[in-house]
Amino acid sequence: MKLNPIKLDGVWTEGYALDYFTENSEYVGEDIFGYPEFNVTYSEIGKSLNELKYHKDYTKAVEISEEVVKFIVEEWKLKDKIDGIISVPPSKFRFIQPMFQVTKLVGEKLNKPISLDFFSKLTPEEIKNLPVEKKLDLFKNSIRKNRSLTKKGSILLIDDLYSTGVTLKTLCELLKEDSNVENIYVLVVAKSSKED
């Protein structure tokens, strides 16, 4: 798979998105119910993520995890710098959480412990469409840190989509309250758009 890694600057030690989610999105009108329709061209990893998250093609979790591991080991050279992997809590309840599947596979392939419940959302409310300043206030009160590290170590946070960075910023601030957390690395499957 062809990837175009994007460096993500933030309150973390170092972070990357593997590529943009979409390459092009063109408005083509409305459907029979008045909803806007778009002709979307996805990046390769974006197409896999779209099929995993929105079309329940769980085989794509294997494909995405292989690309994540390949990037971590061969390009980022991060494997020996991390001691554990945390999955970012999902914004929606699903019986099968797509990114939990990816995180489990990455942990297995890198032989690193993972936590799927290090953080949890307190409310199911979607905050994606709010202005950034309102997101920060709401988000800080909607996430709970459920665990602490039992010994010193560096963490890799894995997320599916990067838009404003509010989620990752908040999680990093919560992690930094833990005296055992050393470095925090961030890996996101895709960045939402080139405009962000």
Side-chain angles (χ1 to χ4, degrees), residues 2-3 20 22 31 42 55 57 65 67 76 80-81 84 87 106 112 121 146 148 152 195:
K2 185 176 177 287
L3 299 176
Y20 289 104
T22 60
D31 68 13
Y42 293 96
H55 302 285
D57 182 352
S65 67
E67 294 301 327
W76 201 1
D80 296 331
K81 296 179 183 176
S87 187
V106 170
K112 302 286 180 182
K121 284 187 74 73
N146 300 318
S148 294
K152 295 252 181 221
E195 288 77 44

Side-chain angles (χ1 to χ4, degrees), residues 28-45:
V28 293
E30 295 178 351
D31 68 13
I32 193 169
F33 301 108
Y35 296 114
E37 292 185 308
F38 297 89
N39 186 5
V40 179
T41 307
Y42 293 96
S43 67
E44 286 185 56
I45 197 89

